[in-house]
Amino acid sequence: MRAPRSRALAAPIAIAALITTGATLPAHADTASNTFGSESVLALEPAPANGDATTAELQLKVTRGAGAPEPKSLNLTVDYSGVKEFATFGGAVGRGGQCSETGSVATCAPELVWTAGWDTASTGLKFTPRKGAAAGTSGKVRIKQTWENGTSTETEATVMVGGTRIEVAGFDGQDGLKPGATVSRSLTLTNKGQIAAPKLVLAFQVGTGLQFKQRFANCEYGDRLQDGSPVQHVAICTVNSALAPGETVHLKPIEFTVEPSALHDIVDLNVAPNDGPDAWLRREADLKPGGGTTRLVLADKPESGVPTGTPVADLNNTRGGYASVDFGTVNTADYTAVGQWKPNAGGTSGVLTAGLWNQGPASINDFRSGGEGVVYVDVALPKGASLDGAAPKDCQIRPGGHYSCGTGLWVPSGVRKTFDFKLKLAGEGTAAIVLHNFSSYMENRPGADLRFDPVPANNATSVALGAKEAGNLPTASPKPTAGGTATTGGTATGPATTAATPAASQSSAGTGAGGNLASTGSSGLGLTAGVGAAAVVAGGLLFLVARRRKAGSHQ
């Protein structure tokens, strides 16, 4: 199990990954507007009798609306008079974090840190508890925001001395699973903080190779999508049982079904004492109630009524107790290089479509670091062929004149990812299309060595360029269903392709890495979040392989 991260993760990218919007703005009818919000509650570790107190950050988030201009010149007016008796204000986070103060009102102009590939940016406000401030002491901070090209808004957040510190045990990964199997886990939760959790809010983000077997009445379910395909199954469950300081409880079992598309699936779990931390996840996954009458509850004690009173936050990080585990399934995914040439009249120009097709049955992700599953489509043009304009999006030229096109971290079963090269021809020739990954580029091997691929011979193909149409593409490539099971792609049609030099020999295809991995500083996709940007050096170039935006043509 990955250890919970400390709130001391203050680097801008960590802030961007963890940012939440518990105290959000009123909804905007205009999707082209930018929005601003803060987390609803900030928990401060009580100051020790000896030594320095720990500074914590109230995280602020900006979301850029579709088609909206990038926010400029952010200005914050922070009224911290409601917390000054028990906490000191330390300015904003990062560049431009110095604030001018008049009494208990500060004016700050922090620089926003944008999360690569996502329309979100973040900053934060720093607070430190005073010596002797008792656990449970709380007050309000009011924040007014203005920017050069957006609407002025106001929000507020609670700052409290002390909080919960929820720890999760019993949530272990597993390797060697088989499609159709059931995985059951009973979690142990302990509150090592100073404040009781009035309730327990569990947020599960689950790789699409696993599916929730139960549908509990006190859970909401949905999918996070990328390019129209589910990239995670999501459930947020609210258990109305308090967890006192020092108390340990046990959650009744939760079960997952291993889907036909499973290979390497990550399950992220956060347990918080309030609803705020996962507000962003509720919006992104379009959650719906589970229905029925069966509830997910504790084995130790019954639920009580819906809690009221001052909200509470967790001291571990903005999202509470955290675990991230890996489940590996014995499965394969047949990656196939595809290409097609469609000449214009006269045959002196045309479009070469090059790409890969995941014929399944497994879906492939590379959300952990490593890069083995991040595949590039390498296109070598013959002499006499040249680009007629710019290279396709996400394609870069490499030494030797090859083009390398990134397909991203997520390739569901049945999906085809292609790139269109507009070419001019001075004569006939043959284009070579080969699948590569990070290690094959760095080790100068002829192609990718993909452990999950049982048919390495079709990782390369070639397409004749001339006056006649050549090559083939699958006629259909369905996407995974909302339930998480991917249907396999359609039949390839058109003239047969001639195999180019095949990829290097394959190691045994089979399992995704299971078990428990050490924290890499990200919570799933959110990215978990999201994932952010994974920089991969390939042939001396820097490619961004983690993108929310589509890479090439995803069909």
Side-chain angles (χ1 to χ4, degrees):
M1 185 186 309
R2 297 164 91 188
R5 288 170 296 167
S6 167
R7 177 176 284 281
L9 279 173
I13 291 178
I15 294 172
L18 293 172
I19 193 72
T20 62
T21 54
T24 56
L25 304 177
H28 288 261
D30 180 8
T31 58
S33 62
N34 300 311
T35 58
F36 172 86
S38 77
E39 57 182 320
S40 58
V41 192
L42 174 65
L44 303 178
E45 187 76 54
N50 299 307
D52 296 331
T54 300
T55 297
E57 297 165 8
L58 179 69
Q59 297 176 8
L60 310 177
K61 176 181 176 180
V62 172
T63 301
R64 184 177 178 181
E70 181 176 319
K72 294 181 180 179
S73 304
L74 175 67
N75 287 280
L76 303 176
T77 301
V78 183
D79 181 353
Y80 57 90
S81 58
V83 304
K84 67 178 182 179
E85 298 301 322
F86 63 87
T88 60
F89 175 65
V93 174
R95 295 179 59 182
Q98 297 79 11
C99 305
S100 61
E101 300 183 47
T102 303
S104 300
V105 177
T107 301
C108 315
E111 184 175 299
L112 290 172
V113 178
W114 288 90
T115 307
W118 297 76
D119 290 326
T120 57
S122 60
T123 184
L125 302 174
K126 296 182 284 188
F127 293 91
T128 306
R130 296 184 184 276
K131 295 279 187 179
T137 306
S138 66
K140 296 282 189 181
V141 173
R142 291 175 172 80
I143 306 162
K144 181 178 180 180
Q145 159 271 324
T146 60
W147 44 39
E148 185 178 298
N149 54 350
T151 305
S152 174
T153 51
E154 296 185 30
T155 187
E156 66 177 26
T158 298
V159 177
M160 175 180 286
V161 179
T164 62
R165 192 184 296 279
I166 299 172
E167 294 192 359
V168 180
F171 194 44
D172 300 318
Q174 187 174 343
D175 209 350
L177 296 170
K178 294 183 179 180
T182 296
V183 176
S184 179
R185 293 293 183 269
S186 180
L187 309 180
T188 299
L189 307 175
T190 302
N191 183 1
K192 295 188 177 181
Q194 307 85 14
I195 306 294
K199 61 183 178 180
L200 299 169
V201 181
L202 299 95
F204 295 89
Q205 298 177 71
V206 180
T208 58
L210 301 176
Q211 182 57 275
F212 298 102
K213 188 171 183 177
Q214 308 118 310
R215 284 291 192 269
F216 294 106
N218 56 331
C219 299
E220 300 171 88
Y221 299 88
D223 290 328
R224 295 183 71 197
L225 304 180
Q226 179 172 298
D227 299 313
S229 297
V231 69
Q232 280 183 329
H233 301 315
V234 174
I236 298 182
C237 306
T238 301
V239 180
N240 290 322
S241 297
L243 185 61
E247 185 179 14
T248 295
V249 295
H250 303 85
L251 191 72
K252 286 194 173 181
I254 187 165
E255 296 180 331
F256 305 97
T257 300
V258 181
E259 297 287 283
S261 62
L263 180 67
H264 174 209
D265 292 281
I266 301 168
V267 178
D268 284 344
L269 167 64
N270 291 94
V271 185
N274 63 77
D275 297 310
D278 293 299
W280 67 274
L281 191 56
R282 293 177 188 276
R283 291 192 301 271
E284 286 202 2
D286 190 25
L287 301 182
K288 300 292 187 295
T293 58
T294 304
R295 295 177 64 86
L296 178 64
V297 295
L298 301 178
D300 314 76
K301 58 183 181 181
E303 289 186 291
S304 53
V306 177
T308 59
T310 303
V312 176
D314 197 273
L315 291 161
N316 280 319
N317 56 54
T318 59
R319 302 189 63 195
Y322 172 62
S324 183
V325 296
D326 297 64
F327 292 90
T329 301
V330 180
N331 209 350
T332 61
D334 181 9
Y335 267 24
T336 302
V338 295
Q340 185 176 60
W341 168 247
K342 287 192 173 183
N344 295 329
T348 58
S349 63
V351 175
L352 171 66
T353 300
L356 70 81
W357 177 24
N358 180 6
Q359 297 192 69
S363 295
I364 300 299
N365 71 64
D366 193 50
F367 296 140
R368 298 289 194 213
S369 57
E372 192 264 347
V374 179
V375 171
Y376 300 90
V377 178
D378 187 277
V379 181
L381 300 178
K383 291 182 179 180
S386 60
L387 279 181
D388 186 6
K393 184 182 177 183
D394 300 308
C395 297
Q396 303 284 342
I397 192 167
R398 297 187 64 246
H402 293 206
Y403 290 89
S404 181
C405 304
T407 62
L409 298 177
W410 172 238
V411 184
S413 177
V415 164
R416 188 184 75 197
K417 297 196 175 186
T418 58
F419 307 87
D420 290 338
F421 290 81
K422 294 181 180 180
L423 303 180
K424 294 184 294 186
L425 298 183
E428 294 186 347
T430 300
I433 303 168
V434 182
L435 304 184
H436 274 273
N437 62 4
F438 175 64
S439 60
S440 65
Y441 270 141
M442 295 302 293
E443 297 170 13
N444 200 29
R445 287 191 271 114
D449 183 12
L450 304 173
R451 289 175 294 173
F452 54 78
D453 190 344
V455 190
N458 62 12
N459 289 357
T461 189
S462 59
V463 180
L465 307 182
K468 295 182 179 180
E469 184 174 325
N472 66 359
L473 293 176
T475 57
S477 37
K479 296 175 182 177
T481 66
T485 302
T487 54
T488 56
T491 305
T493 60
T497 58
T498 303
T501 304
S505 61
Q506 205 68 21
S507 59
S508 59
T511 63
N516 309 319
L517 298 185
S519 174
T520 60
S522 67
S523 177
L525 275 179
L527 14 196
T528 285
V531 175
V536 177
V537 179
L541 296 175
L542 186 68
F543 298 121
L544 293 178
V545 298
R547 294 177 300 276
R548 185 174 184 175
R549 300 285 181 247
K550 70 178 182 178
S553 175
H554 300 214
Q555 301 172 12

